[in-house]
């Protein structure tokens, strides 16, 4: 049966002198190009090795003349192809009336990827089995692919993707040919395959199955991590606007010991503990709980998609005494009882635990996670100690007694 029949024209001799578009010239640097066509999503994806380069919308064969599945290769290329309509006995030359457009990339004797004079059809299942692209897309792809370029046609109704910005998404696509049903277990298995277990809630996945949105829906976003000026290989992830941090890489960068209690699903560092979450094979802690465990300073760089976590050390008369530093109302704060003990002062609480009573005087403090913290601006005010915030070294340097 004829599907798409092409006649090699004189234009084939002009292939080498056709000027590529500017973007096509950039894509010509693609090494080891490979094409993956997925029929349910009606997409053609160009890879360079294992790296995704670009995805294009396509039209595919209608159910009565489906696009074939399997692994193929580009075996024919032509500029300005001539079309012979199946069973009609006449020829349609290259031009605006030719449904093959102006580029042909054959992967079987009667099947190919080509342009189209009907851009409205892109995204539909309407062809006789060939793969149609928007004309500008077909011309761009033509400049990239070579004879022998691998081309694989799949039928994946569930697509999981992590794009170059770190955004993870999932798409449930229609069963265009009635080949395959999709279950919740299928969706979960696809997340396991990509190492994204636990990053999408079951209720979210069920809704995607019910709605069958026919597009990618984002559910998480990965971001870069820098700890004490060192960029980590591992990444954090944002889910429902909550930042999750992989605890082990951070602990390694901070040179601290972590204890994971599998029964209680908690993380312990020194005397502090916080709940952890297992996603994939990684233990994460929320940014708020990371602050509880470590303190320090955090800053977000949206341009770099980067969270910077910096440890702050407290020096008392030149000696390290603590790194448990918090930020309260944009002011750094140190552990109150530990600091007062360094001064040799006796400490007691008032009934409300809003003040420390030191030698009869009330000093305002803030309770965080059952620990009292004292803002560094109050240290000089109440104790006449000299406090210097060394931002470049990330140290709070306290001198006592202080003499001008």
């Amino acid at each position: 049966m004829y599907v798409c029949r092409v006649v090699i024209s004189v234009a084939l001799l002009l292939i080498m002198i056709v000027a590529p578009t500017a973007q096509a010239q950039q894509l010509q640097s693609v090494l080891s190009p490979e094409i993956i066509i997925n029929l349910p999503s009606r997409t053609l994806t160009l890879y360079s090795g294992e790296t995704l380069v670009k995805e294009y919308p396509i039209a595919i064969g209608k159910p009565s003349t489906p696009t074939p599945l399997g692994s193929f290769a580009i075996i024919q290329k032509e500029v300005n192809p001539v079309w012979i309509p199946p069973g009609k006995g006449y020829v349609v030359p290259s031009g605006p009336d030719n449904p093959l457009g102006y580029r042909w990339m054959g992967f079987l004797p009667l099947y190919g990827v080509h342009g189209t004079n009907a851009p409205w059809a892109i995204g539909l299942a309407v062809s006789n089995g060939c793969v149609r692209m928007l004309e500008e897309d077909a011309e761009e792809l033509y400049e990239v692919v070579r004879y022998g370029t691998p081309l694989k046609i799949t039928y994946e109704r569930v697509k999981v993707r992590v794009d170059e910005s770190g955004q993870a998404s999932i798409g449930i696509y229609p069963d265009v040919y009635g080949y395959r049903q999709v279950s919740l277990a299928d969706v979960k298995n696809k997340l396991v395959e990509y190492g994204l277990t636990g990053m999408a809630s079951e209720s979210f996945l069920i809704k995607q199955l019910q709605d069958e949105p026919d597009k990618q829906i984002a559910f998480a976003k990965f971001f870069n991590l820098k700890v004490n000026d060192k960029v980590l290989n591992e990444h954090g992830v944002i889910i429902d606007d909550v930042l999750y941090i992989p605890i082990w890489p951070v602990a390694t960068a901070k040179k601290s010991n972590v204890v994971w209690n599998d029964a209680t699903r908690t993380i312990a560092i020194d005397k502090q503990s916080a709940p952890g979450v297992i996603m994939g094979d990684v233990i994460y802690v929320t940014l708020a709980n990371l602050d509880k465990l470590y303190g320090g300073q955090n800053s977000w760089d949206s341009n770099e998609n980067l969270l910077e976590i910096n440890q702050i050390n407290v020096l008392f008369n030149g000696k390290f005494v603590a790194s448990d530093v918090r930020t309260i109302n944009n002011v750094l704060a140190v552990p109150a009882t530990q600091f007062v003990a360094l001064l040799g002062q006796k400490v007691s609480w008032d009934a409300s635990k809003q003040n420390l009573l030191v030698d009869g005087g009330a000093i305002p403090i803030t309770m965080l996670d059952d620990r009292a913290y004292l803002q560094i601006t109050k240290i000089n005010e109440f104790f006449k100690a000299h406090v210097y915030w060394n931002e470049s070294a990330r140290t709070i340097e306290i001198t006592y007694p202080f003499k001008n």
Side-chain angles (χ1 to χ4, degrees), residues 73-244:
I74 298 299
I75 59 174
Q76 185 184 20
K77 293 181 64 179
E78 186 179 356
V79 175
N80 299 331
V82 172
W83 180 54
I84 301 178
K88 300 298 183 180
Y90 58 86
V91 173
V92 178
S94 176
D97 296 328
N98 189 323
L100 301 183
Y102 297 95
R103 297 295 185 275
W104 170 269
M105 293 157 275
F107 57 87
L108 280 175
L110 299 177
Y111 294 85
V113 177
H114 60 80
T116 183
N117 63 349
W120 55 265
I122 299 301
L124 303 178
V126 293
S127 80
N128 288 327
C130 285
V131 176
R132 301 179 187 177
M133 303 180 72
L134 292 170
E135 186 58 41
E136 59 269 28
D137 291 345
E139 294 182 18
E140 181 177 279
L141 184 66
Y142 187 94
E143 302 299 331
V144 178
V145 301
R146 300 181 279 271
Y147 281 88
T149 294
L151 182 148
K152 185 177 182 180
I153 303 178
T154 64
Y155 200 88
E156 298 289 340
R157 292 194 56 205
V158 182
K159 286 184 63 178
V160 172
R161 167 175 293 172
V162 179
D163 66 19
E164 64 279 359
S165 72
Q167 183 166 279
S169 62
I170 190 166
I172 311 295
Y173 294 92
D175 191 5
V176 288
Y177 294 158
Y179 285 172
R180 193 168 300 153
Q181 296 295 314
V182 174
S183 67
L184 181 60
D186 294 328
V187 178
K188 289 182 175 180
N189 287 337
K190 184 64 74 170
L191 292 174
V192 170
E193 179 182 334
Y194 281 79
L196 302 175
T197 305
M199 294 188 183
S201 68
E202 185 162 305
S203 60
F204 169 84
L205 298 178
I206 290 173
K207 187 175 189 308
Q208 302 313 303
L209 281 168
Q210 292 172 341
D211 294 349
E212 201 174 276
D214 197 18
K215 63 180 180 180
Q216 296 294 122
I217 304 295
F219 61 87
K221 184 172 183 178
F222 291 94
F223 57 87
N224 301 313
L225 283 170
K226 180 189 284 188
V227 179
N228 295 339
D229 295 326
K230 178 184 178 182
V231 177
L232 304 187
N233 293 324
E234 297 81 0
H235 297 84
V237 61
I238 303 172
I239 301 173
D240 295 331
D241 296 325
V242 177
L243 277 70
Y244 292 87

Side-chain angles (χ1 to χ4, degrees), residues 105-388:
M105 293 157 275
F107 57 87
L108 280 175
L110 299 177
Y111 294 85
V113 177
H114 60 80
T116 183
N117 63 349
W120 55 265
I122 299 301
L124 303 178
V126 293
S127 80
N128 288 327
C130 285
V131 176
R132 301 179 187 177
M133 303 180 72
L134 292 170
E135 186 58 41
E136 59 269 28
D137 291 345
E139 294 182 18
E140 181 177 279
L141 184 66
Y142 187 94
E143 302 299 331
V144 178
V145 301
R146 300 181 279 271
Y147 281 88
T149 294
L151 182 148
K152 185 177 182 180
I153 303 178
T154 64
Y155 200 88
E156 298 289 340
R157 292 194 56 205
V158 182
K159 286 184 63 178
V160 172
R161 167 175 293 172
V162 179
D163 66 19
E164 64 279 359
S165 72
Q167 183 166 279
S169 62
I170 190 166
I172 311 295
Y173 294 92
D175 191 5
V176 288
Y177 294 158
Y179 285 172
R180 193 168 300 153
Q181 296 295 314
V182 174
S183 67
L184 181 60
D186 294 328
V187 178
K188 289 182 175 180
N189 287 337
K190 184 64 74 170
L191 292 174
V192 170
E193 179 182 334
Y194 281 79
L196 302 175
T197 305
M199 294 188 183
S201 68
E202 185 162 305
S203 60
F204 169 84
L205 298 178
I206 290 173
K207 187 175 189 308
Q208 302 313 303
L209 281 168
Q210 292 172 341
D211 294 349
E212 201 174 276
D214 197 18
K215 63 180 180 180
Q216 296 294 122
I217 304 295
F219 61 87
K221 184 172 183 178
F222 291 94
F223 57 87
N224 301 313
L225 283 170
K226 180 189 284 188
V227 179
N228 295 339
D229 295 326
K230 178 184 178 182
V231 177
L232 304 187
N233 293 324
E234 297 81 0
H235 297 84
V237 61
I238 303 172
I239 301 173
D240 295 331
D241 296 325
V242 177
L243 277 70
Y244 292 87
I245 316 298
I247 189 61
W248 291 109
V250 172
T252 299
K254 287 179 172 286
K255 300 179 181 178
S256 63
N257 294 323
V258 174
V259 177
W260 168 250
N261 189 320
D262 195 53
T264 61
R265 288 293 199 267
T266 55
I267 297 164
I269 297 175
D270 297 328
K271 296 180 180 180
Q272 296 291 327
S273 64
V277 180
I278 299 178
M279 294 184 283
D281 56 357
V282 178
I283 299 174
Y284 293 86
V285 64
T286 65
L287 180 59
N289 283 324
L290 185 73
D291 289 342
K292 176 181 176 181
L293 293 169
Y294 283 115
Q297 270 190 327
N298 305 316
S299 61
W300 175 260
D301 186 335
S302 57
N303 292 327
E304 297 293 330
N305 193 34
L306 171 72
L307 177 69
E308 188 167 356
I309 302 170
N310 291 316
Q311 179 175 303
I312 299 176
N313 294 324
V314 182
L315 305 181
F316 186 79
N317 290 339
K319 294 182 179 180
F320 169 80
V321 293
S323 60
D324 182 10
V325 177
R326 305 297 183 94
T327 301
I328 299 172
N329 296 328
N330 295 319
V331 178
L332 297 176
V334 299
T337 55
Q338 182 180 12
F339 171 72
V340 174
L342 290 169
L343 301 178
Q345 305 277 356
K346 293 183 179 180
V347 180
S348 60
W349 299 93
D350 69 1
S352 65
K353 284 193 174 183
Q354 293 182 348
N355 295 283
L356 278 181
L357 302 178
V358 181
D359 288 342
I363 300 175
I365 51 89
T366 302
M367 297 298 297
L368 296 173
D369 305 319
D370 297 324
R371 296 191 74 183
Y373 290 86
L374 175 66
Q375 291 176 307
I376 62 174
T377 52
K378 301 184 186 303
I379 292 176
N380 180 266
E381 178 183 352
F382 288 95
F383 297 100
K384 307 308 178 186
H386 178 66
V387 181
Y388 174 62

Side-chain angles (χ1 to χ4, degrees), residues 28-48:
Q28 282 180 333
S29 62
V30 171
L31 300 175
S32 304
E34 181 177 356
I35 295 170
I36 304 291
I37 294 170
N38 187 50
L39 300 180
S41 61
R42 286 89 70 213
T43 54
L44 182 153
T45 308
L46 174 65
Y47 287 87
S48 177

